[in-house]
Amino acid sequence: MSIRTNRRPAFGPAVPGSSAPRRRSLRLTDARFAALMMAPAAAFMAVFVAWPLAQFITNSFYRYNPISDAPHRFVGFGNYIAAFGSAAFTNSAVRTIAYTAIVVFLEFSLGLLVALLFSGLGSRSRVFRTIFMYPLMIAPIVAGLLWRFLLIDNTGIVNQLLFQLHIIGSPTQIQWLSDPKIALLAVSLPDIWLTTSFIALVLFAGLQNIPGDIIEAARIDGARYPTLLFRVILPLLRPVIAVALIVRGVDAARAFDVIVVQTNGGPQNSTETMSLLVYNTQISDGNPGLASAMGTIYLVAMIALAIVAVAAIWRPGSDR
């Protein structure tokens, strides 16, 4: 007499309708684990970045008063047409490009020089690297206030030092923050002082990843240092340079607090960049629709410039 049982053999094929495949489907794979780890950050970005950005772009197609209860009036691309036809928008765009070019050029030049110096010193530069990174810990608004007192026309320390060194004839000869011709350069000094250390840190890290045998082979072939720098080191640093320039370029183009603290866009709007124009249009003029259109144009321009910078500097996929 035999007894029949429904128990599945330990090493036999799975019985149709059993729960084993379902248990396997609920197993935590690498992809699911990565998705779970990214879920909080994705939710944060969706709530605090994507949703406000979507509202910002949507507002650019409407005209309304944020104070009154009047309904939003759809104007289509009217705000964009008004932005492109505004002389203030064009002038602010030119000033933003000039400010960004000044800041990024000087920061990259000084940062590359310091990074090469630290790389040449090797481990002996540890203390100097630590001291050089201190400005990164200072808030931009504090740096702006500090440099405002340094550059103020009557009692500024910079003019006093230049006068004591007999470089200028009067402590009020150079009006750093009052002369429209040099005010844009003056307000860029705190930004350069703050973030040159960032460029130097990024470039120094990139220099440590350059294979030493390539440098040694170039030296054995008789390459002098200028040739070694421009033909070997800088081409190998292209990805690092692209990241540094894009990050600092976007950050410099949206400079706001440093300029507001020093000049608030003056004198004669000579330091009113795009960020200040959008802020003044939103707050002072009470026109959030036009401000949203200006900000959207600015956002698209920054994305386009970042893509061009990646393609021109980094040139991913290039074998040259």
Side-chain angles (χ1 to χ4, degrees):
M1 179 176 180
S2 62
I3 300 175
R4 299 181 61 184
T5 178
N6 293 328
R7 181 178 300 177
R8 182 171 59 91
F11 299 97
V15 178
S18 65
S19 59
R22 182 176 301 176
R23 287 198 299 268
R24 285 198 299 269
S25 64
L26 296 177
R27 187 176 56 185
L28 186 61
T29 61
D30 292 342
R32 292 173 181 173
F33 178 76
L36 287 176
M37 292 297 100
M38 292 188 296
F44 179 87
M45 295 291 291
V47 173
F48 294 101
V49 177
W51 174 245
L53 180 61
Q55 284 189 319
F56 185 77
I57 297 175
T58 303
N59 291 339
S60 66
F61 297 100
Y62 291 87
R63 186 180 299 276
Y64 63 96
N65 191 335
I67 300 177
S68 65
D69 295 332
H72 291 31
R73 183 165 60 90
F74 181 77
V75 295
F77 290 97
N79 289 325
Y80 292 91
I81 296 174
F84 282 114
S86 172
F89 178 80
T90 304
N91 295 333
S92 296
V94 173
R95 283 190 290 267
T96 302
I97 295 173
Y99 178 88
T100 304
I102 293 172
V103 169
V104 173
F105 174 76
L106 292 178
E107 285 181 359
F108 178 77
S109 301
L110 296 175
L112 178 61
L113 179 63
V114 173
L116 292 173
L117 179 61
F118 287 163
S119 181
L121 292 175
S123 60
R124 293 173 295 177
S125 65
R126 292 178 181 176
V127 177
F128 300 103
R129 293 201 306 264
T130 303
I131 297 174
F132 194 71
M133 297 303 149
Y134 281 162
L136 286 176
M137 306 177 188
I138 301 176
I141 192 170
V142 176
L145 287 171
L146 174 62
W147 278 88
R148 180 182 179 183
F149 290 120
L150 291 175
L151 298 175
I152 197 168
D153 299 337
N154 298 326
T155 59
I157 298 177
V158 173
N159 277 353
Q160 290 292 335
L161 290 176
L162 294 177
F163 175 70
Q164 293 293 332
L165 295 173
H166 303 286
I167 298 177
I168 59 177
S170 171
T172 60
Q173 180 176 343
I174 303 178
Q175 300 179 352
W176 296 97
L177 301 177
S178 302
D179 188 354
K181 297 180 181 179
I182 62 174
L184 192 64
L185 174 63
V187 297
S188 66
L189 294 179
D191 203 348
I192 297 171
W193 176 66
L194 277 176
T195 50
T196 297
S197 53
F198 168 77
I199 297 291
L201 179 64
V202 173
L203 294 180
F204 176 77
L207 288 172
Q208 304 311 301
N209 293 325
I210 295 180
D213 53 350
I214 297 180
I215 304 296
E216 188 64 25
R219 288 175 177 174
I220 293 175
D221 290 340
R224 298 182 179 272
Y225 191 78
T227 304
L228 186 66
L229 176 63
F230 291 102
R231 295 294 183 90
V232 179
I233 296 177
L234 291 182
L236 292 175
L237 283 178
R238 277 203 309 253
V240 179
I241 292 173
V243 172
L245 293 183
I246 291 171
V247 172
R248 278 305 303 141
V250 173
D251 189 51
R254 63 180 183 84
F256 177 80
D257 41 9
V258 173
I259 301 177
V260 168
V261 169
Q262 294 182 94
T263 61
N264 197 24
Q268 302 176 12
N269 295 331
S270 59
T271 59
E272 186 182 51
T273 57
M274 284 293 299
S275 299
L276 271 73
L277 178 64
V278 173
Y279 173 81
N280 291 329
T281 305
Q282 169 84 25
I283 305 300
S284 301
D285 300 341
N287 194 346
L290 180 59
S292 299
M294 292 178 176
T296 303
I297 296 171
Y298 166 72
L299 174 63
V300 173
M302 288 297 99
I303 295 175
L305 288 177
I307 295 174
V308 171
V310 171
I313 302 175
W314 188 348
R315 291 180 290 183
S318 176
D319 295 331
R320 294 178 55 186

